[in-house]
């Protein structure tokens, strides 16, 4: 008979398995979903990665040579090489779906010199600890490694005892989070749940708290423990809701699911399912809180809307099959719709609304009410009738309401700019300052056209929206410091000497064009001259992040610096490959800067061709800049950085930074080394290059810019 799992007796074993497994299931589902959307007809065939297989063979040969020396001190070096070799081989056999495995294998291979030095020569690592780690790594390399998150868990478990023996890396390490987690509050919520729960559940909750605390006390498990606490506490809050739309059947179902998650957490083999269930329940908590917000939204039918949506939500939860199938996708779509419905403008923001825009605002407000009603009506169809997240009615309702909200936001943006005078402490919200009065008068004219609902009202609304966009995006404080290498500007290294004058000139040109556009707009917002200046300003602004991405890449290849992104588990690309991808980038960037600044007829085409020809290099630059902002830095303590990258585990799809792009980035990093035999890296008729550039563009477009 199988021995039952006891929380307290098996505490250390469960701690290792639960905390390290906490991110596995959802990440695997996310990766597979992204893989299916990439178009396998263009992906290279499994087993075609000659360079990957060659590296795997080299690592295996190194391991065998070290084995022949028969020295105990070599055990960890042998184990790491066998593991990296196996990851590369099995990842290659899996085709494109194995890209994350290959990136992990290349990460280990790149870190080998530092890991060897750390585990063989560093006096802070006792040899018995290194031998234990090598034994675990050896066992891991003999398994089927087709699940990258299981590998990440096992790798962390093997190396976790060593991590506290060395100094932590400078800056950020592991999978950064998108938001800070209030672990103290989450633990307090779990303590409260323990106090009010029946005895059986109270024991489970107490054991879970103890388990989480054990993880918090260990460097390798601290972040996963915080994530477990976050999801568990969020799920527990769902049990205390007493909203009128939550039926007894729904509450009973939630109660049962929470207990099931605790039971699953107590079994190391089932704990990933427990964490996934807690994550889903936590998301349901967030959604129910959003429905509660509808109930307090005042004169917009909030209570009625909350009851209608809440009842459908409650009925769906009460289903004996929930959550399963497309329920997870439905929750994500429901969350998106509720975020939009709950979006409103605070009284402080509306206080900035200048009177010149109020006639149009009243029209938009009526449209927003109608669009909101349509969206509220579409949501129950998603929940009651099992409609998919691609339901046209729901998507249309979301798009319609989003468009109106965007226009209202544009009105607030304009009002804030026109009623703020940094040179005067007497500027008041909603009162146009002297320099903007001409613009405000023209805005009043456009607002009246919208209010009168004439044939030109849509064009008037577009004109106002364009004005708001360019006004905000061309603001000097949001764009220009990073271009000039001024103190405090975001950069790792100065511009190359040839490019710095052009970069400074681009900054000046944005300011000059902005002024000319504002002057022309004040004369006639719809004139051809205003349109041409607006198009030029828009092109200049859009070019700035591209230029900064190129600059970041050039700074890495010019100085042989380590890209900060290589300290992040989601990216691995060596400087030599990046240099090959960037061949000719400096000259092309120079030409594009000149054409853009001089407003040549082919300037827009030049920018487009720069992006098309150097997408992977620009992607590397963007990742470089984002990682630098996150605080990644492997230069000051490379041995510790290499070790801690391997004890990072797997990302949480709901909380980890750039987790949604993990697979796309892995595809780029995995296939770029395979292009080393190609002479022309701009030849996108080559199927391999075409695929790399296609996926790189998809990832590049999805990444945020660096604020």
């Amino acid at each position: 008979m199988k021995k039952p799992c006891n929380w307290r007796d098996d505490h250390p074993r469960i701690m290792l398995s639960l905390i390290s497994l906490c991110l596995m299931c959802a990440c695997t589902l996310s990766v597979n979903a992204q893989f299916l959307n990439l178009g396998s007809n263009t992906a290279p065939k499994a087993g075609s990665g000659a360079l990957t297989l060659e590296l795997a063979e080299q690592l295996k040969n190194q391991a065998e040579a070290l084995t022949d020396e028969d020295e105990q001190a070599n055990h960890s070096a042998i184990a790491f090489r066998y593991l990296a070799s196996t990851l590369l081989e099995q990842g290659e056999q899996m085709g494109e779906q194995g890209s994350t495995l290959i990136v992990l294998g290349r990460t280990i291979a790149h870190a080998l010199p530092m890991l060897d030095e750390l585990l063989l020569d560093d006096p802070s690592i006792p040899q018995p600890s290194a031998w234990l780690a090598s034994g675990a790594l050896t066992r891991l390399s003999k398994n089927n490694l087709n699940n990258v998150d299981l590998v990440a868990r096992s790798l962390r478990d093997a190396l976790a005892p060593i991590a506290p023996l060395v100094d932590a890396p400078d800056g950020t390490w592991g999978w950064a989070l998108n938001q800070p987690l209030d672990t103290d509050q989450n633990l307090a919520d779990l303590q409260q749940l323990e106090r009010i729960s029946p005895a059986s559940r109270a024991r489970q909750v107490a054991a879970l708290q103890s388990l989480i605390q054990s993880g918090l006390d260990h460097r390798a498990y601290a972040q996963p423990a915080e994530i477990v606490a976050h999801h568990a506490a969020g799920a527990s809050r769902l049990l205390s809701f007493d909203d009128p739309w939550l039926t007894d059947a729904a509450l009973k179902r939630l109660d049962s699911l929470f207990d099931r998650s605790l039971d699953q957490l107590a079994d190391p083999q089932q704990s990933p399912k427990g964490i996934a269930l807690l994550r889903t329940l936590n998301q349901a908590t967030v959604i129910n809180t959003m429905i509660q917000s509808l109930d307090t939204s005042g004169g917009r039918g909030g209570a009625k809307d909350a009851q209608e949506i809440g009842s459908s939500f409650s009925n769906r939860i009460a289903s004996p099959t929930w959550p399963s199938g497309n329920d997870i996708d439905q929750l994500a779509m429901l969350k998106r719709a509720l975020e939009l419905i709950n979006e409103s403008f605070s009284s402080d923001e509306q206080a900035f609304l200048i009177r010149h825009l109020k006639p149009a605002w009243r029209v938009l407000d009526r449209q927003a009410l109608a669009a909101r009603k349509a969206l509220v009506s579409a949501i129950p169809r998603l929940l009651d009738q099992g409609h998919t997240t691609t339901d046209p009615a729901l998507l249309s309702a979301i798009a319609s309401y989003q468009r109106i909200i965007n226009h209202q936001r544009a009105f607030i943006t304009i009002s804030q700019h026109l009623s703020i005078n940094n040179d005067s402490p007497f500027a008041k919200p909603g009162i146009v300052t002297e320099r903007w009065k001409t613009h405000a008068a023209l805005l009043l004219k456009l607002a009246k056209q919208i209010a009168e609902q004439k044939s030109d009202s849509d064009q008037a609304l577009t004109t106002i929206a364009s004005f708001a966009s360019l006004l905000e995006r061309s603001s000097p404080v949001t764009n220009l410091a990073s271009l000039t290498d001024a103190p405090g500007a975001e950069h790792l290294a100065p511009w190359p000497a040839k490019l710095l004058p052009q970069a400074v000139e681009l900054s000046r040109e944005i300011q000059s064009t902005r002024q000319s556009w504002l002057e022309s707009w004040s004369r006639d917002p719809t004139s051809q001259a205003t349109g041409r200046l607006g198009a030029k300003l828009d092109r200049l602004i859009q070019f700035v992040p591209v230029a900064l991405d190129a600059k970041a890449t050039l700074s890495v290849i010019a100085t042989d610096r380590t890209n900060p992104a290589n300290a992040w588990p989601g990216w691995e690309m060596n400087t030599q490959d990046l240099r090959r991808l960037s061949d000719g980038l400096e000259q092309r960037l120079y030409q594009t800067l000149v054409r853009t600044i001089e407003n040549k007829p082919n300037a827009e085409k030049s920018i487009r061709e720069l992006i098309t020809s150097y997408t992977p290099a620009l992607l590397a630059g963007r990742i470089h800049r984002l990682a630098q902002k996150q605080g990644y830095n492997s230069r000051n303590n490379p041995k510790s950085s290499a070790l801690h990258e391997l004890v990072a585990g797997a990302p949480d799809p709901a909380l980890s930074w750039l987790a949604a792009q993990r697979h796309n980035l892995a595809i780029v990093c995995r296939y770029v080394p395979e292009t080393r035999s190609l002479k022309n890296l701009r030849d996108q008729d080559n199927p391999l290059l075409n695929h790399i550039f296609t996926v790189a563009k998809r990832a590049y477009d999805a990444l945020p810019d660096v604020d």
Side-chain angles (χ1 to χ4, degrees):
M1 179 181 296
K2 180 181 177 181
K3 180 182 177 181
C5 183
N6 183 286
W7 274 101
R8 298 193 182 278
D9 294 345
D10 293 338
H11 188 96
R13 176 172 63 87
I14 297 175
M15 188 274 285
L16 287 173
S17 59
L18 166 62
I19 300 299
S20 62
L21 273 167
C22 70
L23 307 173
M24 183 188 68
C25 280
C27 291
T28 305
L29 293 172
S30 175
V31 167
N32 290 340
Q34 292 171 10
F35 170 71
L36 294 174
N37 291 331
L38 290 177
S40 57
N41 59 321
T42 61
K45 293 181 179 179
S48 63
L51 269 291
T52 297
L53 295 175
E54 181 181 331
L55 177 58
E57 187 65 23
Q58 290 173 357
L59 291 167
K60 187 181 298 182
N61 291 339
Q62 289 177 19
E64 290 173 352
L66 290 168
T67 301
D68 291 340
E69 295 178 10
D70 194 27
E71 293 184 15
Q72 282 189 324
N74 289 338
H75 284 186
S76 59
I78 294 168
F80 270 122
R81 283 159 175 80
Y82 273 129
L83 176 58
S85 176
T86 305
L87 286 167
L88 295 171
E89 287 181 345
Q90 293 193 16
E92 187 57 46
Q93 292 168 6
M94 292 171 62
E96 190 159 271
Q97 193 173 0
S99 296
T100 46
L101 283 174
I102 290 177
V103 168
L104 180 56
R106 288 188 175 277
T107 298
I108 295 173
H110 176 260
L112 282 175
M114 291 165 284
L115 293 171
D116 288 345
E117 184 179 349
L118 183 67
L119 295 176
L120 297 179
D121 302 327
D122 195 307
S124 63
I125 307 295
Q127 279 303 307
S129 297
W131 294 337
L132 286 172
S134 65
L137 294 172
T138 300
R139 291 189 294 274
L140 175 60
S141 66
K142 295 179 180 179
N143 294 334
N144 186 336
L145 304 180
N146 61 0
N147 187 318
V148 69
D149 295 314
L150 280 172
V151 177
R153 174 208 60 177
S154 300
L155 192 56
R156 174 166 54 193
D157 289 350
L159 300 175
I162 295 175
L165 303 178
V166 299
D167 292 336
D170 295 339
T172 303
W173 64 273
W175 296 96
L177 300 182
N178 289 320
Q179 64 187 67
L181 304 182
D182 192 346
T183 302
D184 289 342
Q185 182 59 55
N186 290 331
L187 289 175
D189 289 345
L190 290 175
Q191 289 172 357
Q192 174 64 16
L193 178 65
E194 179 190 352
R195 285 192 290 269
I196 64 174
S197 294
S200 59
R201 178 184 289 173
R203 286 193 296 271
Q204 289 179 304
V205 174
L208 177 59
Q209 293 177 77
S210 178
L211 191 66
I212 291 171
Q213 191 59 57
S214 296
L216 293 173
D217 294 337
H218 196 293
R219 185 189 298 168
Y221 296 104
Q223 186 190 83
E226 290 183 334
I227 292 173
V228 171
H230 173 80
H231 292 312
S236 73
R237 294 178 194 121
L238 198 57
L239 305 178
S240 63
F241 288 144
D242 58 355
D243 303 292
W245 53 81
L246 289 175
T247 64
D248 290 342
L251 292 171
K252 184 177 180 181
R253 177 66 178 164
L254 292 172
D255 210 55
S256 172
L257 289 171
F258 188 79
D259 284 343
R260 180 194 298 176
S261 71
L262 294 181
D263 289 340
Q264 289 173 334
L265 290 175
D267 181 351
Q269 299 301 317
Q270 295 293 316
S271 59
K273 293 182 180 179
I275 294 298
L277 183 53
L278 284 178
R279 185 181 289 110
T280 300
L281 293 175
N282 186 24
Q283 188 173 21
T285 299
V286 172
I287 288 171
N288 198 74
T289 303
M290 289 180 173
I291 297 174
Q292 290 174 338
S293 297
L294 296 179
D295 197 17
T296 59
S297 59
R300 291 183 177 265
K304 180 176 179 295
D305 294 344
Q307 185 63 44
E308 183 177 355
I309 295 175
S311 295
S312 296
F313 181 54
S314 176
N315 291 337
R316 187 72 198 114
I317 290 175
S319 168
T321 62
W322 188 90
S324 62
N326 67 346
D327 288 321
I328 305 303
D329 290 337
Q330 285 185 344
L331 284 176
M333 180 63 79
L334 179 57
K335 182 173 181 286
R336 177 186 172 191
L338 288 170
E339 285 173 341
L340 192 57
I341 293 173
N342 277 313
E343 186 165 359
S344 61
F345 300 95
S346 68
S347 56
D348 288 341
E349 288 176 312
Q350 292 196 47
F352 273 97
L353 188 67
I354 58 176
R355 64 175 180 82
H356 310 75
L357 292 174
K358 287 183 178 179
W361 179 276
R362 287 189 285 269
V363 172
L364 288 177
D365 218 26
R366 290 194 296 271
Q367 293 177 353
L369 284 172
R372 184 183 191 275
K373 183 177 180 180
L375 181 53
V376 168
S377 299
I379 288 175
R381 296 178 65 243
L382 175 71
L383 296 168
D384 297 343
Q385 302 174 29
H387 282 250
T388 67
T389 54
T390 58
D391 178 48
L394 179 63
L395 294 177
S396 176
I398 288 176
S400 177
Y401 194 35
Q402 183 70 69
R403 178 183 60 82
I404 296 168
I405 290 294
N406 288 345
H407 283 311
Q408 289 184 306
R409 187 179 294 112
F411 281 26
I412 296 294
T413 296
I414 291 172
S415 298
Q416 289 174 334
H417 276 273
L418 269 59
S419 62
I420 293 176
N421 184 348
N422 293 329
D423 298 326
S424 171
F426 303 107
K428 297 180 179 179
I431 306 299
V432 177
T433 57
E434 187 66 31
R435 63 171 297 206
W436 293 109
K437 285 189 174 180
T438 303
H439 296 83
L442 291 169
L443 287 167
L444 176 60
K445 182 179 178 181
L446 293 168
K448 287 181 177 179
Q449 292 176 10
I450 296 170
E452 293 168 2
Q453 297 287 280
K454 293 184 177 180
S455 58
D456 55 357
S457 61
D458 285 345
Q459 181 58 46
L461 196 56
T462 300
T463 300
I464 293 177
S466 175
F467 180 70
S469 174
L470 285 175
L471 191 64
E472 182 173 36
R473 289 161 53 228
S474 63
S475 175
V477 298
T478 61
N479 280 305
L480 305 183
S482 296
L483 281 174
T484 60
D485 283 347
E490 171 266 319
H491 64 281
L492 267 186
W495 282 99
K498 181 179 181 179
L499 294 177
L500 179 57
Q502 300 303 321
V504 173
E505 186 59 33
L506 176 61
S507 174
R508 293 172 180 164
E509 189 65 20
I510 290 174
Q511 297 177 73
S512 173
T513 303
R514 181 179 192 268
Q515 185 60 37
S516 298
W517 166 70
L518 287 172
E519 291 174 357
S520 181
W521 205 97
S522 69
R523 294 189 292 270
D524 185 352
T526 61
S527 69
Q528 291 185 352
T530 301
R532 285 193 297 269
L533 285 167
K536 178 184 177 183
L537 181 58
D538 185 63
R539 184 165 58 249
L540 291 168
I541 294 168
Q542 290 189 47
F543 184 42
V544 170
V546 177
L548 292 173
D549 294 337
K551 173 192 176 185
T553 295
L554 292 171
S555 75
V556 170
I557 64 177
T559 60
D560 280 328
R561 291 172 181 254
T562 299
N563 189 330
N566 280 347
W568 174 57
W571 182 264
E572 182 63 39
M573 185 178 294
N574 67 42
T575 304
Q576 290 72 29
D577 285 329
L578 186 56
R579 183 174 288 112
R580 290 173 51 258
L581 289 171
S582 307
D583 184 38
L585 175 59
E586 182 174 341
Q587 179 61 25
R588 180 68 72 88
L589 178 58
Y590 175 81
Q591 294 170 350
T592 307
L593 280 164
V594 170
R595 291 169 185 166
T596 303
I597 292 166
E598 296 179 358
N599 202 28
K600 296 287 187 181
N602 61 350
E604 187 170 353
K605 179 182 177 183
S606 184
I607 296 174
R608 190 165 56 248
E609 289 179 346
L610 172 68
I611 297 173
T612 301
S613 299
Y614 291 95
T615 309
L618 295 173
L619 174 64
R622 178 68 60 85
I623 292 289
H624 172 113
R625 297 171 59 215
L626 289 168
Q628 184 190 27
K629 182 180 179 183
Q630 283 287 343
Y632 285 100
N633 174 15
S634 63
R635 294 192 301 276
N636 295 339
N637 195 345
K639 292 189 294 183
S640 178
S641 180
L643 175 67
H644 283 78
E645 188 175 358
L646 299 180
V647 298
D652 183 283
L655 298 173
S656 296
W657 177 69
L658 299 187
Q661 289 304 313
R662 180 190 183 193
H663 191 58
N664 283 338
L665 296 175
I667 290 172
V668 175
C669 293
R670 176 253 184 96
Y671 286 125
V672 162
E674 300 292 344
T675 67
R676 291 174 188 171
S677 62
L678 301 178
K679 294 182 179 179
N680 180 12
L681 294 184
R682 310 279 89 78
D683 178 17
Q684 294 188 36
D685 289 333
N686 179 289
L688 176 59
L689 286 174
N690 180 270
H691 189 60
I692 292 171
F693 276 70
T694 299
V695 178
K697 184 63 163 62
R698 186 180 305 144
Y700 188 61
D701 290 343
L703 291 179
D705 188 20
V706 181
D707 296 330

